[in-house]
Amino acid sequence: QLCINYCNEKLQGHFNDHIFKLEQEEYAREGVDVAKISYVDNSKVVAMIEAGKGAGLIALMDEEIKTGRGTDATFLKKALVLAGKSDGIIQPPDNKQMKKRPHLKNCFVFEHYAGEVEYD
C-alpha cells in the first residue's frame, strides 16, 4: 500500500509542479496578470518516503530487510523514531483512536496528500 501511495504522491507532485508552479512562473515571465493559485506542496511528504540512509520509510524498510533480523515491531519502532523528525507527516496513532481500534497500537499514521493512512 505504501508503494501505491508513494506513486500517487509523486504523480501529485509532478502535477503540482507542471500545472501550478511552472505555469505561474510562465505567466510572470510573460507579464500576464493572473491571480496566484495556492496549492499544497507535497515535496516534504515525498522526501519522507524516499530519503536515503535511514531518513525515509523506504530506506528504513530496506535496512530492516538487509539485517536479516528485521521484524514488523523493529520497523514500527524505527518509523516512530522517524516520526519525531517528520514535521507531523508521520505520527503514532493517538490514544483516543487506539481505544476505539486496538489494532492501531501496531501502526503508524502517515499524512499523505489525500489524507491520513494507517500502516501496520
Side-chain angles (χ1 to χ4, degrees):
Q1 186 61 56
L2 178 65
C3 291
I4 292 168
N5 291 338
Y6 169 57
C7 181
N8 287 337
E9 291 289 351
K10 291 289 279 189
L11 287 170
Q12 185 64 51
H14 182 78
F15 179 84
N16 288 349
D17 285 346
H18 285 80
I19 299 301
F20 298 123
K21 183 180 174 192
L22 296 175
E23 283 297 317
Q24 288 183 41
E25 290 172 1
E26 181 72 21
Y27 293 150
R29 275 194 304 278
E30 293 177 359
V32 177
D33 185 25
V34 295
K36 184 167 171 104
I37 300 169
S38 62
Y39 60 94
V40 176
D41 179 5
N42 72 333
S43 60
K44 288 183 180 180
V45 172
V46 170
M48 191 54 54
I49 297 171
E50 66 185 18
K53 303 216 182 210
L57 287 176
I58 292 175
L60 286 181
M61 270 190 271
D62 191 46
E63 185 179 292
E64 284 297 293
I65 292 167
K66 286 180 179 178
T67 66
R69 297 180 309 274
T71 65
D72 290 348
T74 57
F75 175 75
L76 177 61
K77 185 176 178 180
K78 290 177 182 179
L80 293 175
V81 168
L82 187 60
K85 306 170 192 172
S86 74
D87 293 329
I89 295 170
I90 302 172
Q91 305 167 26
D94 65 37
N95 289 331
K96 188 184 273 186
Q97 289 172 316
M98 285 193 290
K99 285 181 182 176
K100 292 179 185 174
R101 298 166 52 209
H103 75 280
L104 291 180
K105 69 179 175 153
N106 298 318
C107 295
F108 63 92
V109 180
F110 196 96
E111 182 67 41
H112 285 284
Y113 184 85
E116 289 185 349
V117 176
E118 300 149 354
Y119 292 102
D120 61 358

